[in-house]
Amino acid sequence: MDLPALWFCLVSGMLALYVVFDGFDIGAGILHVFAKPEGRERIRGSLGPYWHGNVVWLLAGGGTLYFAFPAVYARAFSGFYLPLMLVLWLLVFRALGLELAEHVHHRVWKPFWGVCFGLSSLLLAVVFGAALGNVVRGVPLDANGRFFAPFWTHFGTEGKVGVLDWYTVLAGAVAALVLTFHGALWLAQAIGGGWGAVARRLHWPVGIAVALLTAASFSVQPHIVERLTEHPSGFAFPLLAIGGYIGARRFLESGRAPRAFLMSCVMVAALLASAVFGLYPYLLPSNGDPSLGLTAQGTAAPAYGLKIGLLWWIPGMALVAVYFTVLFRTFARRAEPGGTGH
Amino acid sequence: MDALSLHRLQFAFTAGFHYLFPQLTMGLALLIVVLKTLALRKGDPVYDRSAKFWARIFGLNFLMGVVTGIPLEFEFGTNWARFSEAAGGVIGQTLAMEGTFSFFLESTFLGFFLYGEKRLGPRGHWWAAFLVFLGSWLSGYFIVATNAWMQHPVGYEIRDGEIVLTSFLALLTNPWLVGQYLHTMLGAVVTASFVMAGTAAYYLLGGRHETEARAFLRVSVPAGLAAALLLAFPTGDSQAKLVYKHQPATFAAMEGHFETSPRAPLVLIGQPDMGRLELDNPLHVPGMLSFLTHYRFTGEIKGLRDFPREEWPDNVPLLYYAYHIMAGLGTIFIGAMALAAWRLWRGTLHVSRATLWILLLLIPFPYIANTAGWMTAELGRQPWVIHGLMRTRDAASENVAEGNVLFTLIGFLGLYALLALLFAVLAGREVEKGPA
């Protein structure tokens, strides 16, 4: 494996971990909209010590993308200028909503911030799903590898596309559904209550929605089909996702919520890995002439920097693994009956 | 307004607003570690109560720092695509390391620090506070390393017109970095010290929470005095000498020094007149600029008039004012903290109403000084985004139309007005509640 390919895997891995970790608090945030007031309190309580660390995966993953593939970072971020600004503003409202609903004790403002948290979680899930949809579909890159995507144009996937078209809107909706399921499983193991039942009810819809999106992706981005045909080993990822999907159900039925949540983590990560494997070597494909797409090899930083990067990235991630293990072990007990954690 | 000005304005606004928060985060993290250490050593519960109170403010401030910080990492790509494409292979190293080494450390142990006191016990909780401090100061290191490279690029070569990193070590040990890092961190300690001392003064003047307020003063006044002194010398002094050596036109502009002279005066006050290239109403100390730069009163210093126009920073008066506001306030901070420290040493600070009033009213000024300091660094680097390598006018995203930038600038103005208001109300509420 060459260095750009290796960093392609590492960056994708970090972003997948972002979706796994922040995904559960985004999903819990979506469910927060539908919970009763005392349930809302418990949902937020279950996220308190974790969400700061979870959102760092986005920053660290983004920073790593910037360092390994600066041209992709520059062109994708400027091309997706408007939706990324929307993401930023949603992240602000989500963070404010979560923290202030927790710390403001006021009859008017506490519920207000709670709703802020819930709605921005929902919108963020949709926007992230649509963003992934954009990367899968490809963008109208010009000969210099640049583009600019308005919010919407004609809602088709060809030519001068916007960020939103029928396919990316579908991807956004499916992402919201998958993360809601993931969030329900988090809540089932963290605070119990009726959240296991909610996850069970979401199980079939999630399966059908992901199948639908997969079919749509094959038609929108033929490169995925070609790549899987050429490298059938890549079927390991969708199989792993299916395994996680079935496993989550099994463990839910037998009442082992923590394992069900782990299965859901596997499923979410494997779904992303499937998409990323299908897109390789493209980090950002073109929706027109495939040769205009931005590939890992074509946009990677020079070899010296990529080699040096491994020297700090590996120990850095080992430290992060230690932090997260200690954090999750320390606060896992807070979910036991009677423990409020404050 | 053209797209470039809007890109610059948006970045300046979002970065400037953001830095109001991390300066308190970094400074306060250190002072909280001091309070926690005193609590362990002396066993006096007042230090624990004080640390708890400041942890509440810290949590709120940290939140604001996080939500206003994420946009900056994005803006490197969204607004400064050409800069990022050219320099990402170099400064991507420090930015990615910041995420990997400091954000994870900071945010994980913030969870422990805010939620885990009972679980961790006193020693464990001290470690949580210490690791949050370490994370925030590491974060400062990586960010200043990034900025130092833009001020004074090292460890690279140009291959086929591309900037290529050749020495990672040089990037992390940039000669510009050491002084700039310490100067920035000390600025953060000054902000936190004035916030803590000013809050103590507020309580003492109102006759509330006197025990805790006196503990705040015992920690913040010595820290503030030490930091204010070290800000001027050696860190401020060495920064100015580096600017003189590597960015001489910037040095002349920020000092308001228009004419080359063998006995250059140090300008204290005056208004740059860019038509006549003179300073109006100048108040200066003769020969002092030569002395501070060369350690003799007769060392020649080249004036701005003798530099070609394309080397001039593009906003000389603003740069001049930013630098003079920073340096002037820095001098005032030394005086105020020296006065407070003397009274503290005599044991009369908590009843010296005039000194307490000074401390209270000075709370906003370290924020102004820190902002002015960053403006000096950033305006002083103009017209370059990477000094000597890439001009700012070549750095912005070409594919983003000005209407879109104006749209998001307006959005940020509104959103940050809301954040400022919320922070003021919520922090004010915590201060009114006081240390329990």
Side-chain angles (χ1 to χ4, degrees), chain A residues 7 14 21 58 105-106 131 150 173 175 180 184 190-191 193 236 239 243 272 303 305 310 341:
Chain A
W7 279 105
M14 289 177 85
F21 282 106
L58 177 64
H105 303 288
H106 189 283
T180 309
I191 58 176
L239 286 175
L272 270 161
L310 287 176

Side-chain angles (χ1 to χ4, degrees), chain B residues 94-155:
Chain B
T94 41
L95 290 178
M97 287 176 84
E98 185 193 26
T100 305
F101 289 99
S102 44
F103 289 158
F104 277 119
L105 185 67
E106 239 179 326
S107 56
T108 316
F109 288 94
L110 185 73
F112 282 112
F113 180 64
L114 296 180
Y115 293 88
E117 185 158 13
K118 277 191 202 132
R119 290 227 169 131
L120 297 168
R123 269 180 199 282
H125 199 240
W126 184 91
W127 276 104
F130 177 78
L131 291 171
V132 170
F133 154 73
L134 185 69
S136 67
W137 280 51
L138 264 179
S139 178
Y141 179 79
F142 289 121
I143 283 299
V144 176
T146 307
N147 188 262
W149 188 81
M150 291 162 70
Q151 299 285 352
H152 182 61
V154 291

Side-chain angles (χ1 to χ4, degrees), chain A residues 241-261:
Chain A
I242 294 170
Y245 177 72
I246 297 171
R249 179 79 191 200
R250 284 280 164 84
F251 285 121
L252 262 180
E253 301 294 349
S254 60
R256 281 180 284 184
R259 292 195 179 192
F261 173 65

Side-chain angles (χ1 to χ4, degrees), chain B residues 359-436:
Chain B
L359 289 177
L360 173 59
L361 295 179
L362 277 177
I363 290 180
F365 290 92
Y367 287 101
I368 296 172
N370 271 290
T371 306
W374 273 111
M375 286 173 72
T376 307
E378 298 302 281
L379 289 165
R381 196 188 57 233
Q382 303 303 326
W384 303 97
V385 65
I386 310 166
H387 198 264
L389 283 184
M390 186 182 210
R391 287 184 186 265
T392 306
R393 61 164 187 259
D394 302 322
S397 310
E398 277 174 310
N399 46 342
V400 181
E402 57 191 88
N404 287 314
V405 191
L406 183 59
F407 171 69
T408 57
L409 173 60
I410 292 170
F412 275 114
L413 287 169
L415 184 61
Y416 284 9
L418 174 70
L419 287 185
L421 198 67
L422 273 173
F423 182 77
V425 168
L426 294 170
R429 210 191 48 168
E430 292 297 344
V431 170
E432 285 313 312
K433 216 193 282 171

